Amino acid sequence: HHAHSFHHVADYGFDVEVKGHDWAELKERRDAYIKRLNGIYENNLDKRGVTYLSGHARFVDAHTVDIDGQKIEADRIVIATGGSPMVPDIPGAEHGITSDDFFALEERPQRVIVAGSGYIAVELAGVLNGLGSEVKVVVRKDGVLRSFDPLLGEQLMAAMERNGIQ
């Protein structure tokens, strides 16, 4: 958003010089933000009397869960699995990264192919494009955000193309 906005500030009377973008600074601030956010979430759980345990879990019965070999009993148990990106079983997939790996990049890639059509894929494509990367998006079917309203996907694809994303 900010990278695109800089292109239009002169139209509103601002004299701003953009000298580039510091990927390492963005990464450092993002990591700090996520760490702080996770702390807030854990603190909120603690305030509500929720015990947070991390590990590989499975239910033993209705009130017992096994977490990495340790059995825990409780009246109420929630196993929050989270999500994980799908890596296709195709030749060359080992050369790619997932969205989870995005901020592990030490520098912004100059050229990138984003494989996917969901909101995370198009968001990352937009971020990289806005910061100056050459971006191509590869989808399996006819467009992006297929699980959303069709008009939204069509309009988004048009906007992405206007911004230089292929």
Side-chain angles (χ1 to χ4, degrees), residues 86 114-123 125 137-148 152-153 156-157 160:
M86 185 203 76
V114 176
S117 61
Y119 69 93
I120 293 174
V122 297
E123 181 179 34
V137 176
V138 179
V139 298
R140 285 182 298 161
K141 295 188 180 175
D142 57 352
V144 298
L145 300 184
R146 291 187 318 274
S147 63
F148 291 76
L152 179 64
L156 178 60
M157 279 187 45
M160 290 170 72

Coordinates of all heavy atoms in Angstrom, one line a residue, residues 86 114-123 125 137-148 152-153 156-157 160:
M86 N 0.3 -25.9 1.1 CA 0.4 -27.1 0.4 C 1.6 -27.0 -0.6 O 1.6 -26.0 -1.3 CB -0.9 -27.4 -0.4 CG -0.8 -28.8 -1.1 SD -2.0 -28.8 -2.5 CE -1.1 -27.9 -3.7
V114 N 4.8 -16.7 -8.0 CA 3.9 -17.0 -6.9 C 2.9 -18.1 -7.4 O 2.2 -17.8 -8.4 CB 3.1 -15.8 -6.3 CG1 2.2 -16.3 -5.2 CG2 4.1 -14.8 -5.8
A115 N 3.0 -19.3 -6.9 CA 2.1 -20.3 -7.3 C 0.9 -20.4 -6.3 O 1.1 -20.7 -5.2 CB 2.8 -21.7 -7.4
G116 N -0.3 -20.1 -6.8 CA -1.4 -20.1 -6.0 C -2.4 -19.0 -6.3 O -2.0 -18.0 -6.9
S117 N -3.6 -19.2 -5.9 CA -4.7 -18.2 -6.2 C -5.5 -17.7 -5.0 O -6.4 -17.0 -5.1 CB -5.7 -18.8 -7.2 OG -6.3 -20.0 -6.6
G118 N -5.1 -18.1 -3.8 CA -5.7 -17.7 -2.6 C -5.3 -16.4 -2.1 O -4.4 -15.7 -2.7
Y119 N -5.9 -15.9 -1.0 CA -5.6 -14.6 -0.6 C -4.2 -14.4 -0.1 O -3.6 -13.3 -0.3 CB -6.7 -14.1 0.5 CG -6.5 -14.8 1.8 CD1 -5.8 -14.3 2.8 CD2 -7.2 -16.0 2.1 CE1 -5.7 -14.9 4.1 CE2 -7.1 -16.6 3.3 CZ -6.3 -16.1 4.3 OH -6.2 -16.7 5.5
I120 N -3.6 -15.4 0.4 CA -2.2 -15.2 0.9 C -1.3 -15.1 -0.4 O -0.4 -14.2 -0.4 CB -1.7 -16.4 1.8 CG1 -2.5 -16.3 3.1 CG2 -0.2 -16.3 2.0 CD1 -2.3 -17.5 4.0
A121 N -1.5 -15.9 -1.4 CA -0.7 -15.8 -2.6 C -0.8 -14.4 -3.2 O 0.2 -13.8 -3.6 CB -1.2 -16.9 -3.6
V122 N -2.1 -13.9 -3.4 CA -2.2 -12.6 -4.1 C -1.7 -11.5 -3.2 O -1.2 -10.5 -3.7 CB -3.6 -12.4 -4.6 CG1 -4.0 -13.4 -5.6 CG2 -4.6 -12.3 -3.4
E123 N -1.8 -11.7 -1.9 CA -1.2 -10.6 -1.0 C 0.3 -10.6 -1.1 O 0.9 -9.5 -1.2 CB -1.6 -10.9 0.5 CG -1.1 -9.9 1.5 CD -1.6 -10.2 2.9 OE1 -1.7 -11.4 3.3 OE2 -1.8 -9.2 3.6
A125 N 2.1 -11.6 -3.6 CA 2.4 -11.1 -4.9 C 2.3 -9.6 -4.9 O 3.2 -8.9 -5.5 CB 1.4 -11.7 -6.0
V137 N 2.2 -14.6 -11.4 CA 1.3 -15.5 -10.5 C 0.8 -16.6 -11.4 O 0.4 -16.4 -12.5 CB 0.1 -14.7 -10.0 CG1 -0.8 -15.6 -9.2 CG2 0.6 -13.6 -9.0
V138 N 1.0 -17.8 -10.9 CA 0.6 -19.0 -11.7 C -0.6 -19.7 -10.9 O -0.5 -19.9 -9.7 CB 1.8 -20.0 -11.8 CG1 1.3 -21.3 -12.5 CG2 3.0 -19.4 -12.4
V139 N -1.7 -19.9 -11.6 CA -2.9 -20.5 -11.0 C -3.3 -21.7 -11.8 O -3.0 -21.8 -13.0 CB -4.1 -19.5 -10.9 CG1 -3.7 -18.3 -10.1 CG2 -4.5 -19.0 -12.3
R140 N -3.9 -22.7 -11.1 CA -4.3 -23.9 -11.8 C -5.6 -23.7 -12.7 O -5.7 -24.4 -13.7 CB -4.7 -25.0 -10.8 CG -3.5 -25.6 -10.1 CD -3.9 -26.6 -9.1 NE -4.7 -26.0 -8.1 CZ -5.5 -26.7 -7.3 NH1 -5.7 -28.0 -7.4 NH2 -6.2 -26.1 -6.4
K141 N -6.4 -22.8 -12.3 CA -7.7 -22.7 -13.1 C -7.7 -21.3 -13.7 O -6.7 -20.8 -14.3 CB -8.9 -23.0 -12.2 CG -8.9 -24.4 -11.7 CD -10.1 -24.8 -11.0 CE -10.0 -26.3 -10.6 NZ -11.1 -26.7 -9.8
D142 N -8.9 -20.7 -13.7 CA -9.0 -19.4 -14.5 C -8.8 -18.1 -13.8 O -9.1 -17.1 -14.4 CB -10.4 -19.5 -15.1 CG -11.5 -19.6 -14.1 OD1 -11.2 -19.8 -12.9 OD2 -12.7 -19.5 -14.5
G143 N -8.5 -18.1 -12.5 CA -8.3 -16.8 -11.9 C -7.9 -17.0 -10.4 O -7.7 -18.1 -9.9
V144 N -7.9 -15.8 -9.7 CA -7.5 -15.8 -8.3 C -8.7 -15.6 -7.5 O -9.8 -15.3 -7.9 CB -6.5 -14.6 -8.0 CG1 -5.2 -14.7 -8.8 CG2 -7.2 -13.2 -8.3
L145 N -8.6 -16.0 -6.2 CA -9.6 -15.9 -5.2 C -10.9 -16.6 -5.7 O -12.0 -16.1 -5.5 CB -9.9 -14.4 -4.8 CG -8.8 -13.6 -4.2 CD1 -9.2 -12.2 -3.8 CD2 -8.2 -14.3 -3.0
R146 N -10.8 -17.8 -6.1 CA -11.9 -18.5 -6.7 C -13.0 -18.8 -5.7 O -14.2 -19.0 -6.0 CB -11.5 -19.8 -7.4 CG -10.7 -19.6 -8.6 CD -10.4 -20.9 -9.4 NE -10.0 -22.0 -8.6 CZ -8.7 -22.2 -8.2 NH1 -7.7 -21.4 -8.6 NH2 -8.4 -23.3 -7.4
S147 N -12.6 -18.9 -4.4 CA -13.6 -19.2 -3.4 C -14.4 -18.0 -2.9 O -15.3 -18.0 -2.1 CB -13.0 -19.9 -2.2 OG -12.0 -19.1 -1.6
F148 N -14.0 -16.8 -3.5 CA -14.7 -15.5 -3.1 C -15.7 -15.2 -4.3 O -15.8 -15.9 -5.2 CB -13.7 -14.4 -3.0 CG -12.8 -14.6 -1.8 CD1 -11.7 -15.5 -1.8 CD2 -13.0 -13.8 -0.7 CE1 -10.9 -15.6 -0.7 CE2 -12.1 -13.9 0.4 CZ -11.1 -14.8 0.4
L152 N -15.1 -10.1 -7.4 CA -13.9 -9.7 -6.6 C -12.6 -10.2 -7.3 O -11.7 -9.5 -7.5 CB -14.0 -10.2 -5.2 CG -12.9 -9.8 -4.3 CD1 -12.7 -8.3 -4.1 CD2 -13.0 -10.5 -2.9
G153 N -12.6 -11.5 -7.6 CA -11.5 -12.1 -8.3 C -11.2 -11.5 -9.6 O -10.0 -11.2 -9.9
L156 N -9.7 -8.0 -9.0 CA -8.4 -8.1 -8.4 C -7.4 -8.4 -9.5 O -6.3 -7.8 -9.6 CB -8.3 -9.1 -7.3 CG -7.0 -9.3 -6.7 CD1 -6.4 -8.0 -6.1 CD2 -7.0 -10.4 -5.6
M157 N -7.7 -9.4 -10.4 CA -6.8 -9.8 -11.4 C -6.5 -8.6 -12.3 O -5.4 -8.3 -12.7 CB -7.4 -10.9 -12.2 CG -7.1 -12.2 -11.5 SD -7.5 -13.7 -12.5 CE -6.9 -13.4 -14.1
M160 N -4.2 -6.3 -10.5 CA -2.8 -6.8 -10.4 C -2.1 -6.6 -11.8 O -1.0 -6.2 -11.8 CB -2.9 -8.3 -10.1 CG -3.4 -8.6 -8.7 SD -3.7 -10.3 -8.3 CE -2.1 -11.0 -8.3

